[in-house]
Amino acid sequence: MFIKVTKAKYLKDYKLELLFNDGLTGIINLQEHIYGPVFEPLKNKNYFKKFQLNRWTIEWENGADFAPEFLHELATQQNKAAAP
């Protein structure tokens, strides 16, 4: 199965709540992952909020995006860290 983001909601700062096509839901923080020329505009929170959902993942107007598998792994790690 190909992983894809099916829903994305901005929460605050650099945090998003994502739902994937395999049913996984998670809250991720992308602050540590925003580096390099294509991601520079995302450091502006107002710009960061303006992501869109394409067929597979989230993306921004400047072409910046994150692989859905990478986002899925972040959500999985976050869920494990939050588990009692």
Side-chain angles (χ1 to χ4, degrees):
M1 171 193 298
F2 290 105
I3 296 296
K4 67 180 185 175
V5 179
T6 57
K7 288 187 181 180
K9 177 182 174 184
Y10 175 78
L11 298 176
K12 67 177 186 172
D13 297 326
Y14 300 97
K15 292 183 182 179
L16 302 174
E17 182 176 19
L18 303 178
L19 173 64
F20 297 87
N21 62 326
D22 66 352
L24 177 72
T25 300
I27 295 173
I28 62 166
N29 185 347
L30 289 173
Q31 187 169 8
E32 294 178 14
H33 307 285
I34 298 174
Y35 56 86
V38 74
F39 293 106
E40 192 65 30
L42 278 62
K43 291 181 179 179
N44 177 322
K45 290 179 193 173
N46 288 323
Y47 189 85
F48 180 84
K49 293 178 190 181
K50 296 178 183 179
F51 65 87
Q52 297 177 355
L53 203 56
N54 65 20
R55 288 182 41 186
W56 304 106
T57 192
I58 54 174
E59 68 179 350
W60 287 264
E61 191 175 276
N62 71 336
D65 66 5
F66 289 95
E69 297 84 2
F70 172 73
L71 298 173
H72 191 276
E73 181 59 29
L74 286 179
T76 300
Q77 290 173 5
Q78 178 63 35
N79 288 349
K80 285 180 184 176

